[in-house]
Amino acid sequence: MDRREFVRIGVAAGAAAGSNRVLAAPAGAAPKHGPGGILDAGVWEQQQMMEAGKLTSHSLTSQYLARIKTIDKAGPRLNAIIEINPEALKIALDMDRERNLKRVRGPLHGIPVLLKDNIATGDRMSTTAGSLALNGIRAARDAHVAAQLRAAGAVIIGKTNLSEWANMRSTHSVSGWSGRGGLTLNPYSLDRNCSGSSSGSGAAIAAGLATLAVGTETDGSIVSPASICGLVGIKPTLGLVSRSGIIPIAHSQDTAGPMARSVADAALMLAAMTGVDARDPVTREGAGKAGDYRAALEKGGLKGKRIGVARNFFGTNDELDAVIEKALLDLKAQGAILVDTEVPNISKYGGSETEVLLYEFKADLAAYLKEYAPHAPVSNMADVIAFNQKNHQQELPYFGQEYLERAQAKGDLDTPAYRVALANNQRYARAEGIDQVMREHQLDALVAPTGGPAWLTDFINGDHFGGSFSSPAAVAGYPHITVPAGYVHGLPVGLSFVGAAYSEAVLIRMAYSYEQATLHRRAPQFPASVSLAVR
């Protein structure tokens, strides 16, 4: 079915909508549509059709649900969606009624959105982090992020699969696999991995199963699957988006963020997600620091910007490096001033980062279960470990639970070793890391390859990442945006922009300008495997 046919269906189903416009077109083009037509379109185009009475939220949601049946549950069987919201169509109808009354909440009004299945929803869906230990367990209430999106008028149509426990379960895990959800496939090559842990969110948006999705990141779990699935992903500054109601790994690094097919869509979603939350004290630090992300969607954002090229994150893949070198030329052509540099001290917090995550995972998981799932059959890390051992055929068929066991062996958050490790992380990732290099070279941002192209899924040996630029920003708690930069043998790779705390608007402006100058994204075609002849 081509795009015109989707539009025809939308017109036939559309009711007369309010004439009040909620979203001016950004100064640029949208990335090319795929075969899904309006389902591959972005927020702006979908809103314009709804405002013109040519589309309704109900019809748009219905079409996405049908596409999930034909692509996710049949056909290529991506397995990106772990659960459908049984109330999705009702919510969409409610948004249509509000629009007819000219009560439009904002740019996300009536827009279908997917949430990663570690984000609590106080509705009829479960919140499980992919674990059978929480299968069927409904959260006591919405996570703050979910509540913010509902208030913005978004239609939450379902939950996405993920690497179980956000990929903090085994040292030999397979990203995109969970005991509850199985394995999510990469829509650009079905035998390859989506990376993780926001695997389902990445595959779903790449394949046009919703307009937008929320991912979460501790270290790389938004930007890596976004890069590998040809998407824009934004990992915000720690404190810009509330962590409450998100099944945790570690409060010192965890954050939710948008995953979308364009910078404009990601920026609009980020604006809806931010806000101070009384249940999450760190959000008070972000009060008043959110930028005008809609205003940042303008061309010319690279002109005169000093950008540090983090050369110590190159060299893992020659073909990847060639793509990024071309991206650097594109940045220069848009007026950026490039400075070759390195992010210092990256080797000084690898071990201490893992230590901090283990300590915080044990404490934070127990706190989440107590508040959001007090009726669950597990209440702490020890219970989860015991559940997995009892149900090893379903939960441990491919890899173990070494990280859960190591976390259980840790003390509480008053343990001196934890405090030392946390201080070490903050020193070398912030003051003597990103802050230092940006100050010394008077930089507006750092750029590097987000990571390597997708690897073959391997249940025997586990994941084999091809390098990653995620850790400096993740450990520092600073913002990180990835944008499609091109392809290696038909597999997407991304260019990363990293900046100082709360510099999201600056990064969005640069990322948008780069995207508009290149428009690299192409919709996936769901091949069984990649052709080595494609470059």
Side-chain angles (χ1 to χ4, degrees):
M1 186 178 295
D2 65 18
R3 183 181 172 205
R4 286 175 295 178
E5 180 66 4
F6 271 111
V7 173
R8 186 193 65 77
I9 292 173
V11 172
S19 61
N20 51 323
R21 298 173 65 84
V22 299
L23 180 61
K32 296 181 180 66
H33 290 175
I38 194 61
L39 301 189
D40 287 323
V43 171
W44 178 80
E45 187 169 355
Q46 291 174 353
Q47 282 289 356
Q48 297 308 302
M49 291 187 67
M50 286 191 280
E51 288 174 5
K54 297 178 179 179
L55 182 69
T56 64
S57 178
H58 185 272
S59 66
L60 182 61
T61 301
S62 297
Q63 291 175 59
Y64 276 127
L65 294 176
R67 187 167 171 85
I68 289 169
K69 288 182 179 179
T70 59
I71 291 178
D72 196 63
K73 305 307 178 188
R77 294 186 181 273
L78 296 179
N79 204 33
I81 310 300
I82 204 168
E83 185 170 359
I84 293 294
N85 185 358
E87 300 171 313
L89 291 175
K90 177 184 180 299
I91 296 169
L93 279 174
D94 289 342
M95 294 303 102
D96 287 333
R97 293 189 185 102
E98 288 189 14
R99 187 182 295 274
N100 290 339
L101 294 172
K102 298 186 178 181
R103 297 173 184 169
V104 178
R105 304 185 187 193
L108 299 193
H109 189 105
I111 299 295
V113 171
L114 289 163
L115 303 183
K116 186 176 177 181
D117 186 38
N118 60 348
I119 299 172
T121 53
D123 54 17
R124 293 165 60 188
M125 291 188 289
S126 303
T127 303
T128 71
S131 172
L132 292 172
L134 295 177
N135 194 25
I137 300 301
R138 298 176 183 175
R141 60 175 176 275
D142 276 350
H144 187 263
V145 165
Q148 289 284 95
L149 291 171
R150 291 191 204 274
V155 179
I156 298 173
I157 66 170
K159 299 281 189 78
T160 58
N161 195 24
L162 69 160
S163 312
E164 187 174 310
W165 296 114
N167 223 7
M168 195 63 179
R169 205 193 83 178
S170 173
T171 56
H172 294 85
S173 65
V174 173
S175 289
W177 183 89
S178 69
R180 181 184 178 217
L183 178 68
T184 294
L185 306 184
N186 188 320
Y188 287 90
S189 183
L190 299 176
D191 58 352
R192 290 183 179 262
N193 205 271
C194 291
S195 189
S197 62
S198 304
S199 316
S201 295
I205 299 307
L209 305 185
T211 312
L212 302 165
V214 180
T216 68
E217 176 161 329
T218 306
D219 188 338
S221 288
I222 290 173
V223 296
S224 183
S227 172
I228 279 176
C229 291
L231 301 176
V232 175
I234 302 180
K235 196 285 291 186
T237 303
L238 188 74
L240 189 66
V241 174
S242 173
R243 303 161 299 182
S244 67
I246 299 175
I247 297 177
I249 292 177
H251 60 266
S252 64
Q253 294 182 205
D254 288 351
T255 184
M259 300 174 73
R261 291 183 289 271
S262 70
V263 174
D265 285 0
L268 293 171
M269 190 178 204
L270 179 62
M273 293 169 64
T274 62
V276 176
D277 176 13
R279 290 190 172 93
D280 186 359
V282 76
T283 59
R284 291 197 291 268
E285 299 174 15
K289 296 179 181 177
D292 188 342
Y293 306 133
R294 290 172 66 174
L297 300 173
E298 59 180 12
K299 294 182 178 181
L302 286 163
K303 188 175 182 179
K305 297 297 183 184
R306 289 180 60 84
I307 297 177
V309 181
R311 287 293 177 184
N312 49 337
F313 288 91
F314 287 66
T316 60
N317 182 302
D318 290 344
E319 292 178 278
L320 169 64
D321 285 353
V323 170
I324 302 303
E325 291 295 344
K326 174 60 171 63
L328 297 180
L329 294 177
D330 292 328
L331 296 178
K332 290 180 70 174
Q334 295 299 307
I337 302 165
L338 302 187
V339 181
D340 277 356
T341 187
E342 294 188 351
V343 180
N345 296 315
I346 59 173
S347 64
K348 294 183 178 179
Y349 51 83
S352 59
E353 179 190 9
T354 301
E355 284 297 289
V356 167
L357 301 190
L358 293 171
Y359 276 100
E360 293 186 0
F361 191 19
K362 179 182 179 181
D364 294 354
L365 177 60
Y368 170 88
L369 293 170
K370 181 178 180 179
E371 184 172 358
Y372 286 87
H375 47 298
V378 293
S379 60
N380 52 42
M381 188 71 70
D383 289 348
V384 173
I385 292 169
F387 177 92
N388 290 343
Q389 291 170 339
K390 182 178 180 180
N391 298 275
H392 65 275
Q393 290 184 331
Q394 294 79 32
E395 279 289 354
L396 307 175
Y398 305 117
F399 50 87
Q401 52 181 341
E402 299 89 354
Y403 280 135
L404 301 186
E405 292 164 351
R406 288 170 60 184
Q408 177 58 26
K410 296 297 183 184
D412 60 28
L413 299 185
D414 291 324
T415 304
Y418 162 71
R419 294 293 181 185
V420 168
L422 181 61
N424 184 81
N425 289 352
Q426 294 175 347
R427 173 185 175 183
Y428 289 117
R430 294 178 183 174
E432 298 182 34
I434 293 174
D435 294 345
Q436 178 177 312
V437 68
M438 293 189 68
R439 181 181 64 253
E440 288 179 352
H441 296 280
Q442 298 181 322
L443 302 176
D444 296 292
L446 294 161
V447 297
T450 307
W455 59 90
L456 290 168
T457 296
D458 184 348
F459 279 104
I460 296 175
N461 298 303
D463 289 334
H464 38 97
F465 293 92
S468 173
F469 185 43
S470 65
S471 290
V475 178
Y478 289 176
H480 182 168
I481 300 178
T482 182
V483 182
Y487 299 83
V488 173
H489 294 289
L491 300 171
V493 292
L495 175 69
S496 282
F497 294 80
V498 166
Y502 301 105
S503 64
E504 280 83 358
V506 174
L507 298 182
I508 287 169
R509 188 170 285 109
M510 288 187 277
Y512 184 73
S513 297
Y514 171 74
E515 175 197 58
Q516 292 299 303
T518 57
L519 294 175
H520 283 298
R521 184 182 184 272
R522 301 194 301 265
Q525 302 300 311
F526 315 109
S529 61
V530 71
S531 171
L532 295 180
V534 177
R535 293 184 180 274

